[in-house]
Amino acid sequence: MITKTKDNLRILARGLQVRLARLLPRHVPIAFKLALVMTLLLVVGMTSLGLVISDNQNQLIRTQLDEFGNAMALQLAKQASEPILSENGLNLQMLTSNLGQEEKILGAAIYAHDGQPLSGTGRLPNLGKTLFESNAVIAHPWFGVDSNGNSERLISFIAPANYQGVRAGSVVITLSASLMDQAAAEAREAVIYATLAMTLLASLFAYWLSRRLSLPIHHLMKATEAIGRGDLATRIDQRRNDELGYLFEGFNNMAAGLLKKSQVEQVFSRYVSKSVADKVLANLDEVRLVDRPIEATVLFADISGFTAMSENLEPSQVSGLLNEYFSYISHACALHGGVVDKFIGDCAMLVFGVAEDDSDHAFNAVSCGVLIQQLAAELNQQRLTEGKPEVHFRIGINSGTMLAGNLGSDDRMEYTVVGDAVNLASRLCSEAEPDQIIIREQLHNNLQCRIVAQAGQSIKIRGKSAPVQIYSVNDLSKEGKSQLRNHLKALRNSFNALQDEKTVDHA
């Protein structure tokens, strides 16, 4: 039973904690925190100061009241000592009557040595016999009722009336302690109002000061949010000679470093495939990628007769032509999940199934080759209308086991594939005719139901002891044509966008 009750209480406490967490704001501005802390410190300080002042004021009023009561009682005792011994009732009555006219004195009385009243006026307490035995002035607090029927706190001072060392009697002076309490209350209220006013002013000043102090931090927060959104050109244009100034300078240096890093990554990704760039940048401490044997497909696409064509073109035209066609080849390669391994002069080397696992890399490579040839045919129609020479590609494709890894030295290296299968793909590209795609028999047998190919002759390949049976790929089968049309449409749109850019630049 006790355990169950504890569990219920624990669940209830956890629920309350969750509800309170939901009520609290997720973000509290630092200006508010600073203002709250400064205000609390000021409130505590002003309250403590007010309490000290109020206590000192009460002590002062109480001391003044005691001194006044003692002085009046001693004065009356001195004046009444001789009349008490001479039993001069008229003189005693005059003494008490004159004191009763004082505004601060509410009552005055004279007693004989045995405590019998001899003369009195005003408000007097009921005194015990023991109060008349003291040789010093005694303060006796008591409560009475005023003329309105309200309770009132009073204090009577009892002093011995001595004549030549002999106690003749006693005197009593009654004062109002409520006046002291009223004065203390008024002083306390004044201190409270002053404290509240100073707290309000201090709170406003603390908030204003906190806003001023937190404004640079607010600028830093906004700049950090901009960096998080990808705006790496954000800078804080403030010059300060304090710690915040060093912080701003460090932030600007960090933002400049991030911008430079982003630019380097973008440029780096243009020189190597994105997958390789991501792997290298993800592990900068160990930039070597692990060499591993893989089953992949390599495609070589070479521009036929490019040397003769380039003799009639300006260097800028040659560069523009290569950049244009290599751009289309890169797009075609990406559409089929491959990556551009390298550009060798007027030849592009594409690999499939290396950067990412691809069980259908052979078909993707052949489909990419067909897409390149069909796009080149459409581009040639456009070039003929513009009076430009046609561009024809020779493509060789081969699949097999190859080694993917680093090639080069510690100072200069590249991530590529090497092996007999790669060399054979390059040889097949060299044997191909313009607008022809050549594959070997083994690859054809694996894809014969998905491609349209025509058997060619067996050719002698340098480095191979036996002739290699080749096939010329003309098109894809029916099931692959739909995707091919979509990819060709995407490349056509890219081609049109490039033409529009050229038109704008020319204008």
Side-chain angles (χ1 to χ4, degrees):
M1 183 67 182
I2 297 177
T3 304
K4 186 176 181 181
T5 303
K6 289 182 177 179
D7 293 338
N8 292 333
L9 291 175
R10 191 179 297 108
I11 294 173
L12 180 60
R14 189 178 296 111
L16 292 175
Q17 184 178 3
V18 172
R19 292 182 181 179
L20 289 175
R22 291 177 179 175
L23 293 175
L24 294 175
R26 294 184 178 180
H27 172 70
V28 180
I30 192 171
F32 178 79
K33 294 180 180 179
L34 289 174
L36 181 61
V37 171
M38 295 175 67
T39 301
L40 289 176
L41 291 176
L42 289 170
V43 168
V44 171
M46 292 298 298
T47 303
S48 301
L49 180 61
L51 292 175
V52 172
I53 294 175
S54 177
D55 184 68
N56 291 338
Q57 186 72 14
N58 292 338
Q59 291 289 347
L60 178 62
I61 294 174
R62 188 177 297 108
T63 300
Q64 291 178 347
L65 182 65
D66 291 341
E67 290 179 351
F68 178 76
N70 288 338
M72 295 304 297
L74 292 175
Q75 182 180 359
L76 178 59
K78 184 177 181 180
Q79 294 175 352
S81 60
E82 185 177 351
I84 292 175
L85 291 176
S86 61
E87 298 182 357
N88 189 347
L90 180 60
N91 195 1
L92 295 175
Q93 188 65 38
M94 289 180 60
L95 290 175
T96 55
S97 298
N98 291 336
L99 288 176
Q101 294 177 2
E102 291 285 341
E103 182 179 0
K104 296 181 179 180
I105 298 176
L106 301 183
I110 300 174
Y111 295 85
H113 64 89
D114 57 358
Q116 294 297 321
L118 300 177
S119 174
T121 183
R123 305 172 66 179
L124 299 171
N126 295 323
L127 300 175
K129 186 175 181 181
T130 56
L131 296 175
F132 296 104
E133 296 176 356
S134 176
N135 293 323
V137 179
I138 298 175
H140 174 65
W142 58 286
F143 286 92
V145 179
D146 60 9
S147 58
N148 297 324
N150 298 323
S151 178
E152 182 180 11
R153 196 166 74 91
L154 304 172
I155 184 169
S156 296
F157 295 89
I158 306 168
N162 298 325
Y163 182 77
Q164 294 182 357
V166 178
R167 183 163 186 164
S170 301
V171 299
V172 176
I173 297 294
T174 302
L175 303 178
S176 175
S178 295
L179 296 177
M180 178 187 68
D181 295 339
Q182 182 179 358
E186 291 176 354
R188 185 165 53 251
E189 290 178 0
V191 171
I192 291 174
Y193 291 143
T195 301
L196 291 176
M198 291 298 296
T199 300
L200 179 60
L201 294 176
S203 300
L204 296 176
F205 175 74
Y207 183 75
W208 174 81
L209 183 61
S210 300
R211 286 294 301 270
R212 293 281 298 177
L213 292 175
S214 64
L215 188 60
I217 301 177
H218 182 73
H219 292 328
L220 182 61
M221 182 184 69
K222 290 296 183 181
T224 304
E225 291 177 353
I227 292 292
R229 293 192 302 268
D231 185 8
L232 301 181
T234 301
R235 299 292 184 273
I236 301 178
D237 296 330
Q238 291 190 19
R239 298 292 182 268
R240 301 173 64 99
N241 57 354
D242 54 9
E243 291 81 359
L244 289 175
Y246 286 107
L247 185 61
F248 291 161
E249 183 179 357
F251 175 86
N252 291 335
N253 293 335
M254 179 199 69
L258 290 175
L259 179 59
K260 186 175 181 180
K261 178 177 179 292
S262 176
Q263 293 172 343
V264 170
E265 290 179 357
Q266 293 176 3
V267 173
F268 184 52
S269 298
R270 295 178 61 185
Y271 284 87
V272 298
S273 66
K274 186 179 184 303
S275 59
V276 175
D278 291 341
K279 291 178 181 178
V280 172
L281 293 173
N283 190 15
L284 295 176
D285 294 334
E286 182 57 53
V287 297
R288 279 193 173 275
L289 303 177
V290 178
D291 299 337
R292 59 189 179 98
I294 58 172
E295 285 289 329
T297 303
V298 180
L299 181 152
F300 283 90
D302 182 35
I303 299 178
S304 177
F306 180 76
T307 302
M309 183 190 306
S310 60
E311 291 178 354
N312 300 322
L313 298 176
E314 296 292 332
S316 59
Q317 294 176 319
V318 174
S319 175
L321 176 66
L322 290 177
N323 289 336
E324 177 183 351
Y325 276 88
F326 285 162
S327 176
Y328 296 137
I329 291 176
S330 297
H331 281 80
C333 181
L335 289 173
H336 292 87
V339 295
V340 177
D341 186 274
K342 63 174 68 69
F343 296 111
I344 312 169
D346 61 332
C347 179
M349 175 182 172
L350 314 181
V351 292
F352 299 83
V354 175
E356 302 292 341
D357 292 336
D358 183 7
S359 60
D360 205 20
H361 54 81
F363 176 74
N364 286 331
V366 174
S367 179
C368 179
V370 174
L371 178 62
I372 292 173
Q373 293 292 25
Q374 291 189 7
L375 177 65
E378 290 193 7
L379 293 176
N380 283 334
Q381 294 178 4
Q382 178 70 25
R383 293 180 68 84
L384 284 175
T385 59
E386 297 175 356
K388 298 179 181 179
E390 297 181 61
V391 177
H392 301 276
F393 282 93
R394 300 180 301 172
I395 296 178
I397 304 174
N398 186 42
S399 293
T401 303
M402 56 194 72
L403 185 65
N406 293 292
L407 182 65
S409 64
D410 292 337
D411 298 332
R412 177 71 172 89
M413 64 177 61
E414 62 177 343
Y415 186 76
T416 186
V417 290
V418 293
D420 183 65
V422 179
N423 296 333
L424 182 55
S426 178
R427 300 287 189 273
L428 294 177
C429 179
S430 301
E431 295 294 334
E433 298 294 331
D435 301 326
Q436 187 180 25
I437 303 173
I438 290 182
I439 61 175
R440 64 170 177 160
E441 184 179 12
Q442 182 181 357
L443 183 56
H444 170 266
N445 294 337
N446 294 334
L447 302 175
Q448 61 180 346
C449 61
R450 305 174 67 182
I451 62 176
V452 178
Q454 182 180 359
Q457 60 182 353
S458 297
I459 60 175
K460 180 69 175 177
I461 300 295
R462 186 178 59 184
K464 292 288 184 180
S465 58
V468 176
Q469 176 66 40
I470 64 172
Y471 281 79
S472 177
V473 179
N474 299 323
D475 203 348
L476 301 180
S477 62
K478 185 177 180 180
E479 66 178 21
K481 284 187 175 181
S482 176
Q483 185 184 52
L484 180 64
R485 284 194 298 268
N486 293 333
H487 289 169
L488 186 60
K489 182 179 179 180
L491 287 179
R492 192 182 296 117
N493 293 335
S494 177
F495 166 72
N496 293 333
L498 183 60
Q499 292 300 318
D500 292 341
E501 290 180 4
K502 287 183 177 180
T503 303
V504 171
D505 293 340
H506 182 71

